Amino acid sequence: QVQLVESGGGLVQAGGSLRLSCKASGRTGLVMGWFRQVPGKEREFVAALRWPGSSTFYADSVKGRFTISRDNANNTVWLQMNSLKPEDTAVYYCAGATPYSGSYYYRRTYDYWGQGTQVTVSS
């Protein structure tokens, strides 16, 4: 059974930084992604890290501010979020997908999801 457990959310002022982590268990070799969702809106793509390899993909809204990375030895993926804005406020979800199963930008590509962690950016 695959489990994804996120941590690292919280409250931060605009311009600040947070680092989210997601530890996977039960399977290795997954494409890992981060999505976010605010109430009343669709869950949206934030970033993805390809497997095999290390290619990264970002939503335009976070390019240059967020960085996704992975520690293969510990089966953990991080999302470093810098220069945070109030519009980054959302519940952030870690997701895992089987390689070559579809576009990393689409929610439907991902088979496994974490429980979500709240990120709140105050102005």
Side-chain angles (χ1 to χ4, degrees), residues 5-6 40 90 97 112:
V5 179
E6 302 111 332
Y112 312 108

Side-chain angles (χ1 to χ4, degrees), residues 20-110:
L20 307 183
S21 67
C22 173
K23 185 164 178 63
S25 61
R27 183 175 170 179
T28 58
L30 292 171
V31 171
M32 298 302 295
W34 287 95
F35 285 72
R36 65 187 182 187
Q37 188 170 21
V38 297
K41 291 192 174 181
E42 293 288 318
R43 192 171 297 186
E44 67 173 8
F45 171 79
V46 175
L49 179 56
R50 186 180 171 183
W51 191 93
S54 57
S55 298
T56 55
F57 308 86
Y58 296 96
D60 288 342
S61 58
V62 307
K63 268 181 193 172
R65 301 188 297 122
F66 290 13
T67 303
I68 187 171
S69 60
R70 186 206 305 260
D71 177 353
N72 289 324
N74 292 300
N75 218 15
T76 299
V77 63
W78 291 282
L79 184 69
Q80 177 67 42
M81 305 185 294
N82 298 329
S83 302
L84 282 161
K85 305 175 182 180
E87 52 263 43
D88 293 318
T89 296
V91 177
Y92 282 71
Y93 295 90
C94 174
T98 301
Y100 312 114
S101 60
S103 170
Y104 309 135
Y105 294 89
Y106 296 151
R107 180 180 175 178
R108 63 175 180 262
T109 299
Y110 295 82

